[in-house]
Amino acid sequence: MLDSRRLSIAVRRTPQIVEDRRSTVVSDDPVQRRDLILLEQARGGDLHAFNDLVVCYQDLLFALVVRMVPDRDQASDAVQEAFFSAFRNMAAFRGGSVRSWLSRIAINAAMDAQRLKKRRPADPYPELEDDSWQPPSNEADNPVAISLQAERHRALNGALAQITDDQRSAIVLFDVEGYDYAEIAGMTGVSLGTVKSRIHRGRLALRDRLSDRMDLFRG
Amino acid sequence: MADRGAAEFHPSHDLELVARAAAGDLAGGEVMGARALVASCATCAELERDLHAIAGATRGLGNAAAVSASRPAPRDFRLSAADADRLRPRGWLRVWRVLAEPRRARGFGGALATLGLVGLLVSTGIAAPFDGADGAASEMTGATKDVVSAAPGVGPASTDDAAALPANPTSSTTIGAREYSNSNVAAAPMLAIASGAMLILGSALLLVSWRSRRVGS
């Protein structure tokens, strides 16, 4: 009976392959693996695990948001809101990089903060305060070149704070963060053409604001 | 001389075309047009150089990863237990969150909205004919009464089966039809309400799934 043909067919049938789309896909990148483990634990209700993720990414997200929302207090609020949103939407994480997932949430929070600012216009944004930051330089670097670069950054940050929110976001995401047009279109929910137009017009606006200081940038 | 002439016309030049040329976002005939413009107008040529320089300087500002390595955030964004408690969904909100999970919401919302729409159509379809049936039943009652009074021994009433009917032969058929139609007419509003609710819930889920294309919404 056990050797019946029907049984052997039933036994030989290979199990159906089910695609595993959960976020527990093993990653080669140790940072990503750590993030995924922390996120899984957080999903299981472990607040400490989520807070470990917060500690890992709060500096990065703040640095990202403060470029888009030059008011540091508003930028802080936007980052806090981004982490709240991430906590609420942990179940919706579809796998991939936790870092880029959090970055996208932070970018959305920054854009919400800009919209709020637009709805309640008060003072224009203050100039970005991060002019003290300089890329790591070699000891052999010329101090004149370093101070020139600092001056250039200060002027550019000041001009960035004066252009429209949409143009600033597009330029920051494209030029500074290195996202491509399609990614920015996906993040901001506008067409590819609109993204390009915002970048081009934003650069023209920057040039307009920097017209009397262009000697810093030429040559 | 030619440069000076072109520079006079500079205000009318397409500056966005120059900006697009500087970004390398032109294709086909536009490239030739932009090249001709930059070649003929010194101000446009200077603008193109400046835009290149500005784009380069903006890239040099340092992305978030570089900046965050040396500049910590001004405050600690860790969530307190109270924050976590406040943010965790409870009760119906929890059920809603399970349903509104993007992939699930799309399928479930579509199915609910379709069922709701079909239910609404069916409920209006039920109500309409039976409104008519009720009237028809009344008319039939009157007509049968006339027949019975005019010829008591003729027609169906004279058969054995008909003899077994109650004293008033019209009442059983009329009441039966009326009860049937009444029960359906009574069911129609309930079906309509239930279908409407399904349609609203389904549409809400579809809206949620559409909105959730935006990460973290």
Side-chain angles (χ1 to χ4, degrees):
Chain A
M1 189 66 187
L2 280 173
D3 293 332
S4 74
R5 203 177 163 194
R6 185 179 291 178
L7 186 66
S8 68
I9 289 170
V11 169
R12 276 179 201 160
R13 193 182 293 154
T14 50
Q16 197 182 352
I17 296 167
V18 179
E19 192 184 352
D20 188 356
R21 291 185 173 180
R22 287 173 301 168
S23 61
T24 47
V25 176
V26 178
S27 166
D28 291 338
D29 181 5
V31 174
Q32 199 169 327
R33 205 180 314 148
R34 175 206 66 193
D35 292 349
L36 290 173
I37 290 168
L38 286 174
L39 193 66
E40 279 303 318
Q41 289 173 349
R43 276 169 155 180
D46 185 351
L47 179 61
H48 293 297
F50 185 82
N51 278 336
D52 285 346
L53 271 179
V54 173
V55 170
C56 289
Y57 289 110
Q58 59 184 0
D59 296 342
L60 175 87
L61 296 194
F62 182 78
L64 174 64
V65 169
V66 83
R67 287 237 188 263
M68 297 170 69
V69 185
D71 185 319
R72 290 175 77 82
D73 289 337
Q74 279 187 26
S76 287
D77 291 346
V79 173
Q80 187 68 80
E81 193 48 52
F83 281 120
F84 285 163
S85 182
F87 187 83
R88 270 196 304 261
N89 292 284
M90 276 188 292
F93 177 70
R94 296 171 201 175
S97 160
V98 175
R99 176 184 161 154
S100 67
W101 177 67
L102 285 172
S103 298
R104 280 168 183 244
I105 293 176
I107 288 164
N108 287 333
M111 288 194 296
D112 287 344
Q114 288 173 346
R115 270 185 220 116
L116 199 71
K117 175 93 181 165
K118 212 179 277 179
R119 238 179 283 152
R120 289 186 294 182
D123 300 324
Y125 284 126
E127 282 193 10
L128 286 166
E129 295 168 29
D130 62 347
D131 51 353
S132 61
W133 182 84
Q134 293 301 316
S137 55
N138 299 325
E139 285 177 12
D141 278 356
N142 182 356
V144 176
I146 292 171
S147 76
L148 186 68
Q149 192 174 43
E151 188 59 28
R152 198 182 293 150
H153 284 187
R154 198 172 300 128
L156 198 52
N157 282 327
L160 270 172
Q162 290 173 37
I163 62 175
T164 69
D165 295 333
D166 291 338
Q167 291 171 352
R168 183 173 49 249
S169 298
I171 286 179
V172 166
L173 293 175
F174 185 76
D175 281 337
V176 184
E177 298 302 328
Y179 290 104
D180 63 29
Y181 291 138
E183 284 175 311
I184 299 170
M187 282 178 205
T188 53
V190 295
S191 70
L192 211 66
T194 306
V195 172
K196 288 181 183 179
S197 173
R198 282 177 182 173
I199 291 170
H200 300 146
R201 287 180 185 177
R203 283 182 186 157
L204 285 171
L206 282 179
R207 201 259 190 174
D208 215 33
R209 305 290 187 286
L210 294 166
S211 56
D212 54 344
R213 309 200 70 187
M214 276 312 296
D215 51 324
L216 280 173
F217 300 89
R218 289 181 189 137
Chain B
M1 190 69 181
D3 274 1
R4 200 186 304 155
E8 281 172 16
F9 293 108
H10 177 71
S12 66
H13 289 164
D14 185 355
L15 302 186
E16 207 173 325
L17 183 71
V18 179
R20 287 164 63 203
D25 280 341
L26 294 180
E30 284 181 321
V31 180
M32 302 303 289
R35 273 188 198 156
L37 187 62
V38 169
S40 65
C41 175
T43 317
C44 284
E46 191 183 321
L47 174 66
E48 192 189 23
R49 280 195 299 275
D50 286 353
L51 291 175
H52 269 301
I54 286 171
T58 315
R59 284 186 204 107
L61 279 177
N63 63 16
V67 175
S68 64
S70 59
R71 297 197 67 191
R75 74 177 201 227
D76 191 349
F77 294 102
R78 276 179 289 187
L79 274 62
S80 65
D83 288 332
D85 211 35
R86 182 170 54 83
L87 293 167
R88 274 195 193 105
R90 283 200 197 82
W92 281 106
L93 196 61
R94 191 174 215 163
V95 176
W96 172 254
R97 283 213 177 260
V98 172
L99 288 177
E101 198 267 313
R103 248 176 283 158
R104 200 171 292 149
R106 210 167 301 132
F108 197 58
L112 265 182
T114 309
L115 274 176
L117 200 62
V118 169
L120 272 180
L121 289 173
V122 168
S123 66
T124 49
I126 288 174
F130 281 103
D131 280 347
D134 201 22
S138 313
E139 282 167 24
M140 191 175 77
T141 312
T144 320
K145 266 181 190 166
D146 291 345
V147 169
V148 169
S149 59
V154 182
S158 66
T159 62
D160 292 343
D161 288 344
L165 286 171
N168 184 0
T170 60
S171 61
S172 66
T173 52
T174 311
I175 291 168
R178 195 172 288 163
E179 276 174 0
Y180 182 65
S181 68
N182 282 349
S183 67
N184 278 288
V185 170
M190 285 169 64
L191 182 62
I193 291 168
S195 304
M198 280 199 288
L199 185 60
I200 290 169
L201 186 63
S203 305
L205 283 171
L206 284 176
L207 190 70
V208 164
S209 73
W210 180 75
R211 267 187 62 96
S212 64
R213 291 177 310 159
R214 209 187 101 143
V215 185
S217 301

